[in-house]
Amino acid sequence: MANKEHKTIADQIALLKSRGMAFKDEVQAASLLQNISYYRLKGYWWDMQSDHIIHQFFPNTIFEDVLDRYTFDRHLRIILFDAIERIEIGLRTIMIYFLSEVYGPLWYLNSLIVTNSLLHQTHLGELQAEFARSQETFAINHRNNRVNEDPDVWIILEVASMGTLSKIYKNLHHQLPEKSKIANEMGLNLQNELSSWLEAITYTRNIVAHHSRLWSRNMVRKPMKIVNPKFTWLQNALTPVQEKKIFPIISAMIYLCNVITPGHHIKTRLLDLIYNNPDIPIYKIGFLNNWHKEPLWQK
């Protein structure tokens, strides 16, 4: 038996109005609710409620303001996906270069360079599964023409997800000089700093890839504080609120992009998005306490 009855678009609008939400254009709102579900938008108006039991809205709560938040969040995800792509490609390239130089083109099979052999087998299985289902021409050609031959690392890692790359890096032996070289090449001093940042970025990537909400979300994965940053980083300590939000992860992305692809426009696009939407309360995603005065965030 269903928990709640189905509501028509008209029912949904009537319900929101009964709870105190106003509409500038109900016809347009009805059209939007046909394409963006009531439940999806709920995450953007949750904090606009004065009572979360009876779901009463604060005075002057307007549907179009909810939509503005939704649109802002969508554009934010698009920009961040660009940043994540740059970081993923950079990490893949650096890992292949430093590890192949010492351990050869099949180093990903080498259980002697990892900390946990059981995890290594799991990661290897995930990597091989990604390669087996890839429809890239190079993957298909390898599977057809070299049936019993393991692909070189620069072939197989080309289809590896950000999550797989992150897990492979984390499981490398801590004493491996190449593991430190990779972290240094990414602009960080310590291996565990890079592992932590990659996990937080991978978590964000999964949210973005599934078109889920970043707005006002408490992030499960957080990038660890870094010691003696090599390049421009946040100068002021984050507040407890900021630590839970997307702000430190976005800052970490900008830092890594500054190292990997100097001259990128990720920060400029983010600043344009923020300044072109002055009514969006960006403190909901951790942008507070003079964030714009941080050297990392200045134009």
Side-chain angles (χ1 to χ4, degrees), residues 176-290:
L176 224 62
E178 293 69 33
K179 189 174 185 180
S180 294
K181 285 183 180 179
I182 293 166
N184 292 336
E185 195 71 13
M186 298 286 284
L188 298 172
N189 292 310
L190 304 175
Q191 302 168 10
N192 61 338
E193 290 175 348
L194 180 56
S195 289
S196 169
W197 281 30
L198 292 177
E199 286 179 350
I201 293 170
T202 298
Y203 168 69
T204 304
R205 183 235 178 252
N206 292 339
I207 293 172
V208 170
H210 290 91
H211 317 296
S212 297
R213 173 178 54 86
L214 289 173
W215 179 263
S216 197
R217 178 189 287 267
N218 285 337
M219 307 300 284
V220 174
R221 298 287 185 182
K222 306 169 188 175
M224 70 179 293
K225 298 175 184 177
I226 58 175
V227 180
N228 299 322
K230 299 173 69 174
F231 303 100
T232 303
W233 180 234
L234 301 175
Q235 294 185 345
N236 298 306
L238 296 173
T239 67
V241 171
Q242 284 178 307
E243 289 179 348
K244 295 177 182 178
K245 302 299 180 183
I246 189 67
F247 176 76
I249 301 177
I250 298 177
S251 297
M253 289 184 193
I254 290 175
Y255 181 95
L256 293 175
C257 285
N258 286 346
V259 177
I260 297 168
T261 56
H264 67 88
H265 298 289
I266 301 298
K267 180 171 67 175
T268 299
R269 291 169 65 194
L270 288 168
L271 290 174
D272 287 345
L273 176 64
I274 291 169
Y275 293 138
N276 289 335
N277 292 274
D279 295 329
I280 297 293
I282 56 173
Y283 68 89
K284 296 288 184 180
I285 55 174
F287 283 73
L288 44 90
N289 290 351
N290 295 320

Side-chain angles (χ1 to χ4, degrees), residues 49-66:
Q49 298 173 114
S50 59
D51 189 310
H52 291 103
I53 304 299
I54 62 173
H55 303 293
Q56 189 70 26
F57 291 105
F58 286 109
N60 301 317
T61 297
I62 301 172
F63 177 82
E64 283 74 12
D65 290 342
V66 177

Side-chain angles (χ1 to χ4, degrees), residues 76-84 204 214 246 250 253 270:
L76 175 63
R77 294 196 305 271
I78 291 170
I79 297 170
L80 295 187
F81 198 80
D82 185 359
I84 293 166
T204 304
L214 289 173
I246 189 67
I250 298 177
M253 289 184 193
L270 288 168

Side-chain angles (χ1 to χ4, degrees), residues 91-119:
L91 173 66
R92 179 186 294 124
T93 303
I94 293 166
M95 287 177 65
I96 291 171
Y97 183 84
F98 283 117
L99 291 165
S100 299
E101 187 177 34
V102 179
Y103 303 102
L106 296 177
W107 61 259
Y108 66 94
L109 298 171
N110 190 346
S111 62
L112 298 178
I113 65 173
V114 301
T115 299
N116 188 315
S117 58
L118 291 178
L119 277 179

Side-chain angles (χ1 to χ4, degrees), residues 130-153:
E130 287 173 332
F131 189 74
R133 63 175 175 262
S134 173
Q135 294 304 303
E136 292 283 359
T137 301
F138 64 83
I140 295 172
N141 287 341
H142 184 93
R143 294 197 300 266
N144 290 340
N145 301 324
R146 301 187 177 187
V147 179
N148 297 314
E149 184 178 314
D150 291 309
D152 291 333
V153 68

Side-chain angles (χ1 to χ4, degrees), residues 162-174:
M162 181 74 172
T164 299
L165 290 171
S166 174
K167 287 184 281 189
I168 290 174
Y169 175 79
K170 186 175 183 179
N171 196 37
L172 292 172
H173 264 309
H174 302 318

